Amino acid sequence: MGRVAIVTGGTRGIGEAICKRLQRQGHTVIANYAGNDEKAAAFTEATGIPARKWDVGDHEACLAGCAAVEAEFGPVDIVVNNAGITRDGTLHKMSFEDWNEVLRINLGGCFNMAKATFPGMRERGWGRIVNIGSINGQAGQYGQVNYAAAKSGIHGFTKALAQEGAKFGVTVNAIAPGYIDTDMVAAVPAPVLEKIVAKIPVGRLGMAEEIARGVAFLTSENGGFMTGSTMSINGGQHMY
Ligand code: CAA
């Protein structure tokens, strides 16, 4: 059955792969994005998937953005909280702004999107929320106190909201990707990234599509008994 799905940060990287996969599953997909208009236009041109711009870290913008999507496409039954940024740096060099922006967008975005969509799912008795966490929220990462805290927070948020949604047919799960071949990972200095890849047992970066396949399962009817869990897709880098 086709449903309405929003994927945040949906026009690039892992989000783009998730949008395309959900579209192939027969859903009406809307990609949210915050910055790159040119890339969003190219994405819509190539896929036919509409892109809508708002900052998921801005509570009011998020409520308004989701309301506009519902007015245009109908009730939102599937939300994939994928939008995220990095502002890496060791703590002694990290500014308060770099700490706050990562928490505001990566973790705050999950709260804001859930506030906008979870009540409707609860009332209708069906919903799927998938939050994209990270291996670095599970294991920590040198130079990422902000990102690791936000991603670790996503895992706690997931387990708490899953308990609230369970009796209403709303599942809430997380996926913890390892290092995936995206612009975000490409921004890691090459010598640092080489050392990281050397520690991945399967010997390579992951592909965005490998995360999208996990989302496809969690958002399907078949995923109905799985809630509050974290699916680790990391090439064996962290066995948790
Ligand atoms: N463990 C221990 N020490 C480390 C270390 C590590 N993992 N990495 C670096 N260091 C040490 C270095 O050896 C160096 O020590 P010395 O001065 O004694 O030689 C010291 O820390 C300084 O290192 P840098 O020169 O690298 O410091 P920098 O300030 O230039 O950069 C950094 C620091 C920005 C954190 C950089 O190391 C970096 O970018 N690291 C990668 C962080 C990372 O993995 N980010 C993931 C982004 S992708 C993502 O987040 C997606 C996802 O979900 C997986």
Side-chain angles (χ1 to χ4, degrees), residues 88 93 134 136 141-144 147 178-179 184 188-189 192 196:
D88 293 354
K93 292 183 193 165
S134 169
N136 294 346
Q141 169 62 39
Y142 189 99
Q144 279 200 316
Y147 187 88
Y179 281 72
M184 184 185 273
V188 175
V192 177
I196 290 170

